[in-house]
Amino acid sequence: MATGRAQLKPGLAWRLTRRDLRLGSGLTLFVYVASHMATHAAGLHSVGLAERALRVSVALWHSLPGSVLLYGAAAIHVALALQSIYQRRTLRIPPLDVLRIALGLAIPTLLIGHAAATRLAFDMYGHLPTYTRIVWNLWMSDNEGRQLALLAPGWLHGCLGVYYAFNRREWFMRWRLAWFALALLLPVLSAVGFFAMGKELAARAADLAWIAANAAPIEAAQRIALLRIRDALLAAYFGAIGAVFVARALRDAWERQRGKLVHIAYPGRSVAVPRGWTVLEASRSHHIAHQSVCGARARCSTCRVRVTAGAAHCPAPAEDEMRTLERIGAPPDVRLACQLRPTGEIALIPLLAAGSVSVRNGAADAIDRDVAIMLVDWHDWNAVAASQLPQDRLYLLARFSETICAVVAQHRGLTNLQRGDSIMAIFGMACPLPEAGRQALDAADGIEMRIVQLNTRLEREFGCGVGLRICIHAGHAIVGEIGQGEVRAIVALGEAVEVVQQMQASPEAATTMVLVSADARHVAAAL
């Protein structure tokens, strides 16, 4: 079935997409907020050090390139956020997404107030943005807490955005504890530094000449003019947000009045939604369970559907969707529900049942990442089983599996009992790949020692032992759980699993107890 999918051109992968613009502008604003907090934190030492740090920050952000970068990033990020809100055909979205959007919309209020109090005060009246003046006036007006609180939405929104963007990257996982410490400590140190500066300046309250020379407040007329500009900018910003919601309501009312509805047929059910809705929005609006991991950003493929009728009413995929579809090798009739906006009647089948894939032990939903895979099997089990009663075979397999699983758990791995005589272990669900490789190698050593002990016991009791074979490889895999209710099992699929299975069937595995791929040795050596 053809759905109008086009192939990406060779040079297209390097073009900026809306996702790239959102990430780039968001990181710019995040760096700006972080640099602001860092200069505040310098106040822990002294106001003088904070002033020197502030001069460096001002030289960067008040320069022409810095100003274009900062305010351009703010304009792009806000415009994309408003566009995203307008394009959403339903606001029935996960609570964490609601929090992230709300925090993101709060960031411009910080930038507008800050720009009016510092940048405009300097450009219009020549008031230098110094901590001596700003902190003193905030301290005397009891507004220091409010000023610090304005940083919180931007910082939290930025932290969530960075986590969503990079939590699957190896370098991010390697330094995850450092990132967490930074996210936690920087705002705390910033607040403490700000209050330390206020106390240091308050000690000079008796020196009226110094206050007049260094910390004199802006004249009343100038302050009123700046406040009016700030209020006008805030009103325009909140008006833009309101206009987006009004435009959404008018669009929906017009589409329903004109009868411009699209019928989407799910297995056993059909729904009608206004034209322009994505399939995922239609599912959520009508309470149809639909798997989605990445928050409708075309980063994963868990919301994918197979279009069984109405392919002519499916617009060709945009670049972000195309990249994900090509990455998973999807056939032409498979699309991402979060991106597909049918223009007419279609029929489809969701390919992943909602809630059918998840990972416990602290992870959520299917995980797509680099892991170390270890395949352990009792390679001569058939010969051993031929001479044992069924009850004895069950006993032998139980002792084998409990030995392997205990060692794997000791080294922080997850196990999947593929067959009674074969166990797959997965390392790296909560740590970087080099650490996962080392865990797998250490687990292999532990299994060898435990099997020697087990064989001594089995030789005495049954006259047989475990013919052990271990294969280890490090690479990319999808890891999740399948099953229903409490009956669930860990499953790993992908390149890493295929390679380790090929190793198990290779001639080398027949003569080697532990077979480790070059990739696994390389990543373990990098630790």
Side-chain angles (χ1 to χ4, degrees):
M1 178 185 300
T3 58
R5 181 184 301 178
Q7 295 296 318
L8 283 175
K9 298 179 181 179
L12 196 59
W14 298 99
R15 288 177 53 187
L16 281 177
T17 64
R18 189 165 62 177
R19 180 196 301 174
D20 299 327
L21 287 173
R22 182 184 297 111
L23 178 60
S25 60
L27 287 176
T28 299
L29 296 175
F30 187 67
V31 170
Y32 172 75
V33 175
S35 67
H36 221 60
M37 288 184 168
T39 57
H40 286 8
L44 280 169
H45 181 273
S46 65
V47 175
L49 179 61
E51 292 284 20
R52 290 192 292 272
L54 181 61
R55 283 196 291 270
V56 174
S57 179
V58 168
L60 171 64
W61 297 112
H62 282 210
S63 65
L64 180 59
S67 298
V68 172
L69 182 64
L70 175 61
Y71 295 110
I76 291 172
H77 211 64
V78 171
L80 290 176
L82 296 178
Q83 181 190 37
S84 176
I85 293 173
Y86 178 78
Q87 287 183 336
R88 288 181 182 270
R89 296 302 179 122
T90 176
L91 296 180
R92 195 184 301 276
I93 56 179
L96 195 58
D97 281 352
V98 175
L99 175 63
R100 184 178 55 82
I101 292 172
L103 292 173
L105 293 177
I107 294 177
T109 61
L110 165 66
L111 290 176
I112 290 172
H114 180 73
T118 58
R119 186 64 180 267
L120 291 180
F122 174 73
D123 291 342
M124 295 174 61
Y125 304 115
H127 294 289
L128 292 174
T130 65
Y131 274 126
T132 302
R133 179 178 65 83
I134 296 172
V135 174
W136 171 261
N137 286 284
L138 288 173
W139 189 266
M140 295 305 295
S141 61
D142 291 329
N143 281 327
E144 64 276 6
R146 173 180 171 275
Q147 181 68 21
L148 290 173
L150 288 175
L151 292 173
W155 184 249
L156 185 54
H157 175 81
C159 289
L160 287 174
V162 168
Y163 177 78
Y164 278 130
F166 300 116
N167 70 330
R168 298 175 188 269
R169 305 293 179 88
E170 176 61 32
W171 59 267
F172 186 87
M173 288 298 298
R174 182 190 298 273
W175 295 98
R176 67 190 187 285
L177 294 179
W179 301 132
F180 177 76
L182 177 65
L184 182 64
L185 291 178
L186 186 56
V188 173
L189 295 176
S190 171
V192 175
F194 195 91
F195 283 109
M197 287 188 287
K199 289 184 177 181
E200 182 179 342
L201 294 174
R204 300 190 177 187
D207 190 349
L208 299 180
W210 179 88
I211 292 175
N214 299 279
I218 299 176
E219 295 179 6
Q222 297 174 351
R223 185 169 63 254
I224 291 173
L226 292 173
L227 289 176
R228 286 176 176 171
I229 295 175
R230 183 203 64 184
D231 292 344
L233 292 174
L234 287 174
Y237 172 64
F238 290 124
I241 296 176
V244 169
F245 284 94
V246 170
R248 281 171 46 87
L250 293 176
R251 176 198 61 197
D252 294 346
W254 182 80
E255 288 175 343
R256 291 185 182 279
Q257 183 179 5
R258 296 289 299 272
K260 290 191 173 184
L261 299 179
V262 171
H263 293 270
I264 302 176
Y266 295 80
R269 184 179 179 185
S270 181
V271 302
V273 296
R275 183 176 299 176
W277 284 43
T278 67
V279 171
L280 183 60
E281 288 171 335
S283 299
R284 288 174 172 171
S285 179
H286 289 82
H287 305 282
I288 298 174
H290 205 136
Q291 183 81 19
S292 178
V293 172
C294 71
R297 299 178 185 85
R299 291 176 180 168
C300 72
S301 63
T302 56
C303 69
R304 60 185 181 270
V305 297
R306 174 170 285 112
V307 179
T308 59
H313 299 146
C314 299
E319 295 172 23
D320 289 342
E321 181 184 5
M322 177 65 73
R323 290 174 180 174
T324 299
L325 292 172
E326 290 186 346
R327 179 168 58 86
I328 64 173
D333 60 346
V334 171
R335 296 293 300 272
L336 300 185
C338 67
Q339 304 298 311
L340 175 57
R341 302 177 185 273
T343 58
E345 183 175 346
I346 66 169
L348 52 85
I349 301 174
L351 297 182
L352 273 72
S356 63
V357 181
S358 63
V359 174
R360 297 181 183 179
N361 298 331
D365 299 306
I367 299 297
D368 180 356
R369 59 173 296 132
D370 291 331
V371 294
I373 300 291
M374 179 170 68
L375 194 58
V376 185
D377 74 313
W378 190 334
H379 70 84
D380 59 347
W381 167 250
N382 290 335
V384 172
S387 61
Q388 304 294 332
L389 295 172
Q391 295 88 340
D392 293 337
R393 291 200 295 267
L394 180 61
Y395 176 85
L396 291 170
L397 290 176
R399 301 292 78 74
F400 171 72
S401 63
E402 70 184 17
T403 299
I404 305 305
C405 292
V407 176
V408 170
Q410 181 183 354
H411 292 85
R412 299 170 60 191
L414 302 176
T415 53
N416 172 23
L417 188 64
Q418 295 191 315
R419 301 188 311 271
D421 60 335
S422 180
I423 298 174
M424 178 181 292
I426 306 155
F427 300 88
M429 294 304 297
C431 66
L433 186 59
E435 186 178 344
R438 174 49 55 191
Q439 290 173 354
L441 294 180
D442 291 344
D445 292 338
I447 289 172
E448 283 190 81
M449 291 187 292
R450 294 285 294 274
I451 290 297
V452 169
Q453 299 171 5
L454 177 63
N455 280 345
T456 301
R457 173 183 171 184
L458 297 182
E459 288 285 354
R460 183 177 66 252
E461 296 176 349
F462 294 92
C464 67
V466 175
L468 185 66
R469 179 168 54 192
I470 302 175
C471 299
I472 301 174
H473 177 66
H476 195 73
I478 304 293
V479 184
E481 283 185 344
I482 61 173
Q484 185 174 8
E486 294 301 320
V487 183
R488 306 180 71 85
I490 296 290
V491 172
L493 300 171
E495 174 266 338
V497 178
E498 295 167 0
V499 170
V500 81
Q501 289 173 340
Q502 293 170 4
M503 292 170 60
Q504 185 188 43
S506 67
E508 293 86 352
T511 58
T512 305
M513 180 181 295
V514 180
L515 186 60
V516 183
S517 71
D519 289 340
R521 292 188 183 278
H522 175 71
V523 299
L527 185 62

Coordinates of all heavy atoms in Angstrom, one line a residue, residues 131-144 201 214-218 223:
Y131 N 25.5 44.5 40.7 CA 24.8 43.9 41.9 C 24.7 44.9 43.0 O 23.7 44.8 43.8 CB 25.7 42.7 42.3 CG 25.4 41.4 41.6 CD1 26.4 40.7 41.0 CD2 24.1 40.9 41.6 CE1 26.1 39.5 40.3 CE2 23.8 39.7 40.9 CZ 24.8 39.0 40.3 OH 24.5 37.9 39.6
T132 N 25.6 45.8 43.2 CA 25.5 46.7 44.3 C 24.2 47.5 44.2 O 23.5 47.6 45.2 CB 26.7 47.7 44.2 OG1 27.9 47.0 44.3 CG2 26.6 48.7 45.3
R133 N 23.8 48.0 43.0 CA 22.6 48.7 42.9 C 21.3 47.8 42.9 O 20.4 48.1 43.6 CB 22.6 49.5 41.5 CG 21.3 50.3 41.3 CD 21.4 51.1 40.0 NE 21.4 50.3 38.9 CZ 20.4 49.7 38.3 NH1 19.2 49.9 38.8 NH2 20.5 49.0 37.2
I134 N 21.4 46.7 42.1 CA 20.2 45.9 42.0 C 19.9 45.1 43.3 O 18.7 45.1 43.8 CB 20.4 44.9 40.8 CG1 20.5 45.6 39.5 CG2 19.2 43.9 40.8 CD1 20.9 44.7 38.3
V135 N 20.9 44.5 43.9 CA 20.6 43.7 45.1 C 20.2 44.7 46.3 O 19.3 44.3 47.1 CB 21.9 42.9 45.5 CG1 21.7 42.2 46.9 CG2 22.2 41.9 44.4
W136 N 20.9 45.8 46.3 CA 20.6 46.8 47.4 C 19.1 47.2 47.3 O 18.4 47.2 48.3 CB 21.5 48.0 47.4 CG 21.1 49.1 48.3 CD1 20.4 50.2 48.0 CD2 21.3 49.1 49.7 NE1 20.2 51.0 49.1 CE2 20.7 50.3 50.2 CE3 21.9 48.3 50.6 CZ2 20.8 50.7 51.5 CZ3 22.0 48.7 51.9 CH2 21.4 49.9 52.4
N137 N 18.6 47.6 46.1 CA 17.3 48.0 46.0 C 16.3 46.9 46.2 O 15.2 47.1 46.8 CB 17.1 48.6 44.6 CG 17.7 50.0 44.5 OD1 17.2 51.0 45.0 ND2 18.9 50.1 43.9
L138 N 16.6 45.7 45.8 CA 15.7 44.5 46.0 C 15.7 44.2 47.5 O 14.6 43.9 48.1 CB 16.2 43.3 45.2 CG 15.9 43.3 43.7 CD1 16.6 42.1 43.1 CD2 14.4 43.3 43.4
W139 N 16.8 44.3 48.2 CA 16.9 44.0 49.6 C 16.1 45.0 50.4 O 15.4 44.7 51.3 CB 18.4 44.0 50.0 CG 18.6 43.5 51.4 CD1 18.7 44.3 52.5 CD2 18.8 42.2 51.8 NE1 19.0 43.4 53.6 CE2 19.0 42.1 53.2 CE3 18.9 41.0 51.1 CZ2 19.3 41.0 53.9 CZ3 19.1 39.8 51.8 CH2 19.3 39.8 53.2
M140 N 16.2 46.3 50.1 CA 15.5 47.3 50.8 C 14.0 47.3 50.6 O 13.2 47.7 51.4 CB 16.1 48.7 50.4 CG 17.5 48.9 50.9 SD 17.8 48.6 52.6 CE 16.9 49.9 53.4
S141 N 13.6 46.7 49.4 CA 12.2 46.7 49.1 C 11.5 45.3 49.4 O 10.4 45.1 49.1 CB 11.9 47.0 47.6 OG 12.6 46.0 46.8
D142 N 12.3 44.4 50.0 CA 11.9 43.1 50.4 C 11.4 42.3 49.2 O 10.5 41.5 49.3 CB 10.8 43.2 51.5 CG 11.3 43.7 52.8 OD1 12.5 43.4 53.1 OD2 10.5 44.3 53.5
N143 N 12.0 42.5 48.0 CA 11.6 41.8 46.8 C 12.6 40.7 46.4 O 12.5 40.2 45.3 CB 11.4 42.8 45.7 CG 10.0 43.5 45.8 OD1 9.0 42.9 46.3 ND2 10.0 44.7 45.3
E144 N 13.6 40.5 47.3 CA 14.6 39.5 46.8 C 14.1 38.1 46.6 O 14.5 37.4 45.8 CB 15.8 39.5 47.9 CG 15.4 39.0 49.3 CD 14.8 40.1 50.1 OE1 14.6 41.2 49.6 OE2 14.6 39.8 51.3
L201 N 25.8 44.1 51.8 CA 25.5 45.5 51.5 C 24.7 46.2 52.6 O 24.8 47.4 52.8 CB 24.7 45.5 50.2 CG 25.4 45.1 48.9 CD1 24.4 45.0 47.7 CD2 26.6 46.0 48.6
N214 N 26.9 54.5 44.8 CA 26.9 53.2 44.2 C 25.6 52.5 44.2 O 25.4 51.6 43.3 CB 27.9 52.3 45.0 CG 29.3 52.8 45.0 OD1 30.0 52.6 44.1 ND2 29.7 53.5 46.1
A215 N 24.6 52.8 45.1 CA 23.4 52.0 45.2 C 22.2 52.9 45.1 O 21.1 52.5 45.6 CB 23.4 51.1 46.4
A216 N 22.3 54.1 44.6 CA 21.1 55.0 44.6 C 20.0 54.4 43.7 O 20.3 53.9 42.6 CB 21.5 56.3 44.1
P217 N 18.8 54.4 44.2 CA 17.7 53.8 43.3 C 17.5 54.7 42.1 O 17.8 55.9 42.1 CB 16.5 53.8 44.3 CG 16.8 54.9 45.3 CD 18.3 54.9 45.5
I218 N 16.8 54.1 41.1 CA 16.5 54.8 39.9 C 15.4 55.9 40.3 O 14.6 55.7 41.1 CB 15.9 53.9 38.8 CG1 17.0 52.8 38.5 CG2 15.4 54.6 37.6 CD1 16.5 51.8 37.5
R223 N 11.7 55.1 36.9 CA 11.2 53.8 37.3 C 9.8 53.5 36.8 O 9.5 52.4 36.4 CB 11.3 53.7 38.9 CG 10.9 52.3 39.4 CD 11.2 52.1 40.9 NE 10.4 53.1 41.7 CZ 10.9 54.1 42.3 NH1 12.2 54.4 42.1 NH2 10.2 54.9 43.0

